[in-house]
Amino acid sequence: MTTPKEIDRGAIDVISRTPAVLRALLAGLAPDLLYRPNDEGWSLKDIVAHLHDVEGIAFVERISRMLDEDRPFIQSIDPPARLVAGGYGSRELSALLDELAQQRKPHVDWLHSLNSDELARIGVHDRVGEISVINIAHQWAAHDMAHLRQVSLMIQAYFAPMMGATRAFYDV
């Protein structure tokens, strides 16, 4: 597949809508569900904190470096360690959701403003090699979707034991 010349409109829409979708999915859920870790050790709140954290380091900072530097070296991150170091455990879920929503609007506007030459700029990631700004823009949308899926599955698994015999209709 060839690299597109512009960011897919659907990707921009996903990036734009993710904070509102998260807020809607998490509204009214029991605190036990919001803070209970899954088998991988992530709670729903941790997922929101992770999205808040990587907004800057994994997306905005990487794209900015690729725009400002010639083929910058992009280092992988350790998401669980970043959550601890960033003090996200003491933050309120509602504040994280508010801040994520506030950050997204200018970031989406910024993505819209990038021209084809900027989108083609390259960096070198330590694990996957050469990547472009447009690759990261589409990764941003895919990353959001991966975590929205994770959130949905965690909520579904919470309700599964309460479903009685109807649980047979679902793979949970």
Side-chain angles (χ1 to χ4, degrees):
M1 181 174 164
T2 60
T3 302
K5 301 288 184 209
E6 61 185 40
I7 301 170
D8 184 278
R9 179 68 202 161
I12 295 280
D13 288 345
V14 165
I15 295 166
S16 177
R17 289 191 305 255
T18 294
V21 171
L22 279 169
R23 189 179 304 279
L25 285 171
L26 301 177
L29 296 178
D32 175 56
L33 174 57
L34 295 172
Y35 300 100
R36 176 192 312 156
N38 65 11
D39 292 340
E40 300 168 326
W42 289 77
S43 71
L44 294 170
K45 181 192 173 202
D46 291 335
I47 295 166
V48 173
H50 167 68
L51 289 168
H52 183 290
D53 181 56
V54 298
E55 181 88 7
I57 189 76
F59 299 115
V60 174
E61 183 179 308
R62 288 177 178 176
I63 291 172
S64 295
R65 287 191 57 221
M66 292 165 70
L67 295 173
D68 296 339
E69 302 171 30
D70 186 32
R71 296 178 59 86
F73 180 73
I74 309 291
Q75 184 74 40
S76 293
I77 62 169
D78 179 352
R82 289 190 55 81
L83 292 184
V84 172
Y88 287 98
S90 64
R91 309 276 310 276
E92 292 292 325
L93 177 60
S94 60
L96 292 170
L97 286 166
D98 289 345
E99 291 169 20
L100 182 62
Q102 290 167 359
Q103 293 172 1
R104 282 292 169 101
K105 170 112 178 71
H107 293 159
V108 167
D109 292 344
W110 176 57
L111 287 174
H112 273 298
S113 77
L114 298 176
N115 64 44
S116 59
D117 289 338
E118 291 168 320
L119 293 171
R121 299 275 303 174
I122 299 295
V124 181
H125 191 276
D126 67 335
R127 291 181 51 203
V128 297
E130 194 172 89
I131 56 175
S132 67
V133 169
I134 199 163
N135 296 148
I136 292 178
H138 289 105
Q139 178 204 5
W140 197 339
H143 180 264
D144 278 4
M145 289 305 306
H147 286 296
L148 288 170
R149 178 177 183 261
Q150 182 183 28
V151 164
S152 297
L153 290 172
M154 289 171 70
I155 296 168
Q156 183 185 36
Y158 172 79
F159 291 125
M162 301 174 225
M163 293 169 51
T166 64
R167 187 172 181 173
F169 297 128
Y170 304 91
D171 185 23
V172 291

Coordinates of all heavy atoms in Angstrom, one line a residue, residues 74-127:
I74 N 13.6 8.2 17.3 CA 12.4 8.2 18.2 C 12.5 7.0 19.1 O 12.6 5.8 18.6 CB 11.1 8.0 17.3 CG1 11.0 9.1 16.2 CG2 9.9 8.0 18.2 CD1 10.8 10.5 16.7
Q75 N 12.6 7.2 20.4 CA 12.7 6.2 21.4 C 11.4 5.6 21.8 O 10.4 6.4 22.0 CB 13.5 6.8 22.6 CG 13.8 5.8 23.7 CD 14.9 4.9 23.3 OE1 15.9 5.3 22.7 NE2 14.8 3.6 23.7
S76 N 11.3 4.3 22.0 CA 10.1 3.7 22.6 C 9.9 4.2 24.0 O 10.8 4.7 24.6 CB 10.2 2.2 22.6 OG 10.3 1.6 21.3
I77 N 8.6 4.1 24.5 CA 8.3 4.5 25.8 C 7.9 3.3 26.6 O 7.5 2.2 26.0 CB 7.3 5.6 25.9 CG1 5.9 5.1 25.3 CG2 7.8 6.9 25.2 CD1 4.8 6.1 25.5
D78 N 7.9 3.4 27.9 CA 7.4 2.4 28.8 C 6.1 2.9 29.5 O 6.2 3.6 30.5 CB 8.4 2.1 29.9 CG 8.0 1.0 30.9 OD1 6.8 0.6 30.9 OD2 8.9 0.6 31.7
P79 N 4.9 2.7 28.9 CA 3.7 3.3 29.4 C 3.4 3.1 30.9 O 3.1 4.0 31.6 CB 2.6 2.7 28.5 CG 3.3 2.4 27.2 CD 4.7 1.9 27.6
P80 N 3.5 1.8 31.4 CA 3.2 1.7 32.8 C 4.1 2.5 33.7 O 3.7 3.1 34.7 CB 3.4 0.2 33.1 CG 3.1 -0.5 31.8 CD 3.7 0.5 30.8
A81 N 5.4 2.6 33.4 CA 6.4 3.4 34.1 C 6.1 4.8 34.1 O 6.2 5.6 35.0 CB 7.8 3.1 33.7
R82 N 5.6 5.3 32.9 CA 5.3 6.7 32.7 C 4.1 7.1 33.6 O 4.0 8.2 34.1 CB 5.0 7.0 31.2 CG 6.3 7.0 30.4 CD 6.0 7.6 29.0 NE 5.4 8.9 29.1 CZ 6.1 10.0 29.2 NH1 7.4 10.0 29.4 NH2 5.5 11.2 29.3
L83 N 3.1 6.1 33.7 CA 1.9 6.4 34.6 C 2.3 6.6 36.0 O 1.9 7.6 36.7 CB 0.9 5.3 34.5 CG 0.2 5.2 33.1 CD1 -0.9 4.1 33.2 CD2 -0.4 6.5 32.6
V84 N 3.2 5.8 36.5 CA 3.7 5.9 37.9 C 4.5 7.3 38.0 O 4.3 8.1 38.9 CB 4.6 4.7 38.3 CG1 5.3 5.0 39.6 CG2 3.8 3.5 38.3
A85 N 5.5 7.5 37.1 CA 6.3 8.7 37.2 C 5.5 10.0 37.0 O 5.8 11.0 37.6 CB 7.4 8.6 36.1
G86 N 4.4 9.9 36.3 CA 3.6 11.1 36.0 C 2.6 11.3 37.1 O 1.9 12.3 37.1
G87 N 2.5 10.5 38.1 CA 1.6 10.7 39.2 C 0.1 10.6 38.9 O -0.7 11.1 39.5
Y88 N -0.1 9.8 37.8 CA -1.5 9.7 37.4 C -2.4 9.0 38.4 O -3.6 9.2 38.4 CB -1.6 9.0 36.0 CG -1.1 9.8 34.9 CD1 0.2 9.7 34.4 CD2 -1.9 10.8 34.3 CE1 0.6 10.6 33.4 CE2 -1.5 11.6 33.3 CZ -0.2 11.5 32.8 OH 0.2 12.3 31.8
G89 N -1.9 8.1 39.2 CA -2.7 7.4 40.2 C -3.4 8.3 41.2 O -4.5 8.0 41.6
S90 N -2.9 9.5 41.4 CA -3.5 10.4 42.4 C -4.5 11.4 41.7 O -5.1 12.2 42.3 CB -2.5 11.2 43.1 OG -1.7 12.1 42.2
R91 N -4.5 11.3 40.3 CA -5.4 12.2 39.6 C -6.8 11.7 39.5 O -7.1 10.5 39.5 CB -4.9 12.4 38.1 CG -3.4 12.8 38.0 CD -3.1 14.2 38.1 NE -3.9 15.1 37.3 CZ -3.7 15.4 36.0 NH1 -2.6 14.9 35.4 NH2 -4.5 16.2 35.4
E92 N -7.8 12.6 39.5 CA -9.2 12.2 39.3 C -9.5 11.9 37.9 O -9.0 12.6 37.0 CB -10.1 13.4 39.8 CG -10.0 13.6 41.3 CD -10.6 12.5 42.1 OE1 -11.6 11.9 41.7 OE2 -10.1 12.3 43.2
L93 N -10.3 10.9 37.7 CA -10.7 10.5 36.4 C -11.4 11.6 35.6 O -11.1 11.8 34.4 CB -11.7 9.2 36.4 CG -12.2 8.7 35.1 CD1 -11.1 8.3 34.1 CD2 -13.2 7.6 35.3
S94 N -12.3 12.3 36.3 CA -13.0 13.4 35.6 C -12.0 14.5 35.1 O -12.2 15.1 34.0 CB -14.0 14.0 36.5 OG -13.5 14.5 37.7
A95 N -11.0 14.8 35.9 CA -10.0 15.8 35.5 C -9.2 15.3 34.3 O -8.9 16.1 33.4 CB -9.0 16.1 36.7
L96 N -8.8 14.0 34.3 CA -8.1 13.4 33.2 C -8.9 13.5 31.9 O -8.4 13.9 30.8 CB -7.7 12.0 33.4 CG -6.6 11.8 34.5 CD1 -6.5 10.3 34.9 CD2 -5.3 12.4 34.2
L97 N -10.2 13.2 32.0 CA -11.1 13.3 30.8 C -11.2 14.7 30.3 O -11.2 15.0 29.1 CB -12.4 12.7 31.1 CG -12.5 11.2 31.2 CD1 -13.8 10.7 31.9 CD2 -12.4 10.6 29.8
D98 N -11.4 15.7 31.3 CA -11.5 17.1 30.9 C -10.2 17.6 30.2 O -10.3 18.2 29.2 CB -11.7 18.0 32.2 CG -13.1 17.8 32.8 OD1 -14.0 17.2 32.1 OD2 -13.3 18.2 33.9
E99 N -9.1 17.2 30.8 CA -7.8 17.7 30.2 C -7.5 17.1 28.8 O -7.1 17.7 27.9 CB -6.6 17.4 31.1 CG -6.7 18.2 32.4 CD -5.7 17.8 33.5 OE1 -4.7 17.0 33.1 OE2 -5.9 18.1 34.6
L100 N -7.9 15.8 28.7 CA -7.7 15.1 27.4 C -8.6 15.8 26.3 O -8.1 16.1 25.2 CB -8.1 13.6 27.5 CG -7.9 12.8 26.2 CD1 -6.5 12.8 25.7 CD2 -8.4 11.4 26.4
A101 N -9.8 16.1 26.7 CA -10.7 16.8 25.8 C -10.2 18.2 25.4 O -10.2 18.6 24.2 CB -12.1 16.9 26.4
Q102 N -9.7 18.9 26.4 CA -9.1 20.3 26.1 C -7.9 20.2 25.2 O -7.7 21.1 24.4 CB -8.8 20.9 27.4 CG -10.0 21.3 28.3 CD -9.6 21.7 29.7 OE1 -8.5 21.7 30.1 NE2 -10.6 22.1 30.5
Q103 N -7.1 19.2 25.4 CA -5.9 19.0 24.6 C -6.2 18.7 23.1 O -5.5 19.1 22.2 CB -5.0 17.9 25.1 CG -4.3 18.2 26.4 CD -3.6 17.0 27.0 OE1 -3.6 15.9 26.3 NE2 -3.0 17.1 28.1
R104 N -7.2 17.9 22.9 CA -7.5 17.3 21.6 C -7.9 18.4 20.6 O -7.5 18.3 19.4 CB -8.6 16.3 21.7 CG -8.1 14.9 22.2 CD -7.2 14.3 21.2 NE -6.5 13.1 21.7 CZ -6.9 11.9 21.5 NH1 -7.9 11.6 20.7 NH2 -6.2 10.9 22.0
K105 N -8.7 19.4 20.9 CA -9.1 20.3 19.9 C -8.0 21.0 19.2 O -7.9 21.0 18.0 CB -10.1 21.4 20.6 CG -10.4 22.5 19.6 CD -11.8 22.6 19.2 CE -12.1 23.7 18.3 NZ -11.6 23.7 17.0
P106 N -7.0 21.6 20.0 CA -5.9 22.3 19.3 C -5.0 21.2 18.6 O -4.5 21.6 17.5 CB -5.1 23.0 20.4 CG -5.6 22.4 21.7 CD -7.0 21.9 21.4
H107 N -4.9 20.0 19.1 CA -4.1 19.0 18.4 C -4.8 18.6 17.1 O -4.1 18.4 16.0 CB -3.9 17.8 19.3 CG -3.0 18.2 20.4 ND1 -3.0 17.4 21.6 CD2 -2.1 19.2 20.6 CE1 -2.1 17.9 22.4 NE2 -1.6 19.0 21.9
V108 N -6.1 18.5 17.0 CA -6.8 18.1 15.8 C -6.7 19.3 14.8 O -6.4 19.1 13.6 CB -8.3 17.8 16.1 CG1 -9.1 17.8 14.8 CG2 -8.4 16.5 16.8
D109 N -6.8 20.5 15.3 CA -6.6 21.7 14.4 C -5.2 21.7 13.8 O -5.0 22.0 12.6 CB -6.9 23.0 15.2 CG -8.3 23.2 15.6 OD1 -9.2 22.5 15.0 OD2 -8.6 24.0 16.4
W110 N -4.2 21.4 14.6 CA -2.8 21.3 14.2 C -2.6 20.2 13.1 O -2.0 20.5 12.1 CB -1.9 21.0 15.4 CG -0.5 20.9 15.2 CD1 0.4 21.7 14.6 CD2 0.3 19.7 15.6 NE1 1.7 21.2 14.6 CE2 1.6 20.0 15.2 CE3 0.0 18.6 16.3 CZ2 2.7 19.1 15.4 CZ3 1.1 17.7 16.5 CH2 2.4 18.0 16.1
L111 N -3.2 19.0 13.3 CA -3.1 18.0 12.3 C -3.7 18.4 11.0 O -3.2 18.2 9.9 CB -3.8 16.7 12.8 CG -3.1 15.9 13.9 CD1 -4.0 14.8 14.4 CD2 -1.7 15.4 13.5
H112 N -4.9 19.1 11.1 CA -5.5 19.7 9.9 C -4.6 20.6 9.1 O -4.6 20.7 7.9 CB -6.8 20.4 10.2 CG -8.0 19.6 10.3 ND1 -8.5 18.8 9.2 CD2 -8.8 19.3 11.3 CE1 -9.6 18.2 9.6 NE2 -9.8 18.4 10.9
S113 N -3.7 21.3 9.9 CA -2.9 22.4 9.2 C -1.7 21.9 8.5 O -1.0 22.6 7.8 CB -2.5 23.4 10.3 OG -1.4 22.9 11.1
L114 N -1.3 20.6 8.8 CA -0.1 20.1 8.2 C -0.2 19.8 6.7 O -1.2 19.3 6.2 CB 0.3 18.7 8.9 CG 0.6 18.8 10.4 CD1 0.8 17.5 11.0 CD2 1.7 19.8 10.7
N115 N 0.8 20.3 5.9 CA 0.7 20.1 4.5 C 1.4 18.8 4.1 O 2.0 18.1 4.9 CB 1.3 21.3 3.8 CG 2.8 21.5 4.1 OD1 3.6 20.6 4.1 ND2 3.2 22.8 4.3
S116 N 1.3 18.5 2.8 CA 1.9 17.2 2.3 C 3.4 17.0 2.6 O 3.8 15.9 2.9 CB 1.5 16.9 0.9 OG 2.0 18.0 0.1
D117 N 4.1 18.1 2.4 CA 5.6 18.1 2.7 C 5.8 17.8 4.2 O 6.7 17.0 4.5 CB 6.3 19.4 2.3 CG 6.3 19.6 0.8 OD1 6.2 18.6 0.1 OD2 6.5 20.7 0.4
E118 N 5.0 18.4 5.1 CA 5.2 18.1 6.5 C 4.8 16.7 6.9 O 5.4 16.0 7.6 CB 4.4 19.1 7.3 CG 4.9 20.5 7.2 CD 4.0 21.6 7.8 OE1 2.8 21.5 7.6 OE2 4.5 22.5 8.4
L119 N 3.7 16.2 6.3 CA 3.2 14.9 6.5 C 4.2 13.8 6.1 O 4.2 12.7 6.6 CB 1.9 14.6 5.9 CG 0.7 15.4 6.4 CD1 -0.5 15.3 5.5 CD2 0.4 15.0 7.9
A120 N 5.0 14.1 5.1 CA 6.0 13.2 4.6 C 7.3 13.2 5.4 O 8.2 12.3 5.1 CB 6.3 13.5 3.1
R121 N 7.5 14.1 6.3 CA 8.7 14.1 7.1 C 8.9 12.8 7.8 O 8.0 12.2 8.2 CB 8.7 15.3 8.1 CG 8.6 16.7 7.5 CD 9.8 17.3 7.1 NE 10.8 17.4 8.2 CZ 12.0 17.7 8.1 NH1 12.5 18.1 6.9 NH2 12.8 17.8 9.1
I122 N 10.2 12.4 8.0 CA 10.6 11.1 8.5 C 11.3 11.2 9.8 O 12.1 12.1 10.1 CB 11.5 10.4 7.5 CG1 10.8 10.3 6.1 CG2 12.1 9.1 8.0 CD1 9.6 9.3 6.1
G123 N 11.1 10.2 10.6 CA 11.9 9.9 11.8 C 12.3 8.4 11.8 O 11.7 7.6 11.0
V124 N 13.2 8.0 12.7 CA 13.6 6.6 12.8 C 13.3 6.1 14.2 O 13.9 6.6 15.2 CB 15.1 6.5 12.5 CG1 15.5 5.0 12.5 CG2 15.4 7.1 11.1
H125 N 12.3 5.2 14.3 CA 11.9 4.6 15.6 C 12.8 3.5 15.9 O 13.2 2.7 15.0 CB 10.4 4.2 15.4 CG 9.8 3.8 16.7 ND1 10.0 2.6 17.3 CD2 9.1 4.5 17.6 CE1 9.4 2.5 18.5 NE2 8.8 3.7 18.7
D126 N 13.1 3.4 17.2 CA 14.1 2.4 17.6 C 13.6 0.9 17.4 O 14.4 0.0 17.3 CB 14.5 2.6 19.1 CG 13.3 2.3 20.1 OD1 12.2 2.5 19.7 OD2 13.6 2.0 21.3
R127 N 12.3 0.7 17.3 CA 11.8 -0.7 17.2 C 11.3 -1.0 15.8 O 11.4 -2.1 15.3 CB 10.7 -0.9 18.2 CG 11.3 -1.0 19.6 CD 10.2 -1.3 20.6 NE 9.4 -2.5 20.3 CZ 8.2 -2.7 20.8 NH1 7.7 -1.8 21.7 NH2 7.5 -3.8 20.5

